[in-house]
Amino acid sequence: MSGGGDTMLVEIWSDVLCPWCYLGKRRFEAALARFEHRDAVDVVWRSFELRADEPTVPGRSLLDVMAGYGLDREAALERFEHIRQLGEAEGLTLNLTTARPVNTFDAHRLTHWAAAHGLRGELKERLFRAYHTENLNVADHDVLAGLAGEVGLDADQAREVLAGDAFGEDVRADERRAREVGVGAVPTFLVDGRRTTAGAMSADVLLNLLETAWSERQPHHV
């Protein structure tokens, strides 16, 4: 899948639980602001569930989860502090020590609904801040509806969407596409269906990704 005509498609796989995705979003925005042809870029946010087995009710803290992966408390705190400082440099507040992972499937469903109203990027941003800064339960339907309302969507309609299974297939379609193009980690940026990079790359690296992809699809572009 690539952008049609003069439009260059950028697909970004991310998950609300991922601090690197929040960093990546901010750095991509900085790169896009510097990209000469930014008005020709069509950004599509794709769903990716890092921890699909998480419950919808907050349980273990992220610190406890990291311990489950064999990382001792001191090492985990050092890693969290490093990520916090990276976030601070981007103007983000990342409170990872008090975050409690939850299931993000419904949050992803809601972003697809937001896309139909042209507000998917805005809702993604609000979800990131809700989880990483405010440590809210982004699996709770009332919380999600409230966040939707804050970005200009109808909160009551959001509750109706969440009460059923609407847009669930859209989430699954994003996940199938991830497998098709080899996405195994987030954030992953796929530009024009060809050039890809994973991780919270610097704005400079992401800008270079955009410029290279543009030059490859515009062989006569100066």
Side-chain angles (χ1 to χ4, degrees), residues 70-109:
L71 199 66
D72 65 47
R73 184 180 180 87
E74 184 177 348
L77 288 172
E78 286 180 2
R79 181 174 297 183
F80 288 171
E81 176 58 18
H82 173 63
I83 298 173
R84 187 198 68 76
Q85 290 177 8
L86 292 175
E88 188 174 59
E90 302 293 342
L92 306 177
T93 301
L94 304 178
N95 296 317
L96 299 184
T97 58
T98 47
R100 293 183 178 274
V102 290
N103 191 286
T104 57
F105 184 71
D106 285 343
H108 283 300
R109 286 201 298 124

Side-chain angles (χ1 to χ4, degrees), residues 37-189:
H37 308 285
R38 57 185 171 275
D39 292 338
V41 174
D42 182 17
V43 179
V44 176
W45 292 95
R46 300 287 188 201
S47 302
F48 190 101
E49 295 175 274
L50 272 178
R51 301 182 58 79
D53 58 345
E54 287 290 344
T56 57
V57 177
R60 297 182 302 164
S61 70
L62 186 56
L63 196 58
D64 292 333
V65 171
M66 296 302 288
Y69 287 114
L71 199 66
D72 65 47
R73 184 180 180 87
E74 184 177 348
L77 288 172
E78 286 180 2
R79 181 174 297 183
F80 288 171
E81 176 58 18
H82 173 63
I83 298 173
R84 187 198 68 76
Q85 290 177 8
L86 292 175
E88 188 174 59
E90 302 293 342
L92 306 177
T93 301
L94 304 178
N95 296 317
L96 299 184
T97 58
T98 47
R100 293 183 178 274
V102 290
N103 191 286
T104 57
F105 184 71
D106 285 343
H108 283 300
R109 286 201 298 124
L110 204 62
T111 65
H112 280 279
W113 173 67
H117 297 275
L119 291 170
R120 192 173 191 181
E122 288 80 359
L123 185 57
K124 289 286 293 188
E125 176 72 22
R126 188 63 188 92
L127 286 166
F128 277 132
R129 180 158 60 91
Y131 177 72
H132 292 287
T133 303
E134 301 165 4
N135 295 154
L136 297 179
N137 177 5
V138 292
D140 182 272
H141 287 187
D142 286 334
V143 170
L144 289 172
L147 297 176
E150 287 183 29
V151 300
L153 294 160
D154 187 292
D156 289 333
Q157 288 183 15
R159 287 189 181 87
E160 291 178 11
V161 169
L162 292 166
D165 58 5
F167 300 98
E169 177 52 32
D170 296 84
V171 177
R172 297 303 181 217
D174 279 354
E175 294 174 337
R176 285 195 298 272
R177 176 151 174 78
R179 291 191 292 272
E180 290 168 1
V181 299
V183 174
V186 286
T188 291
F189 303 84

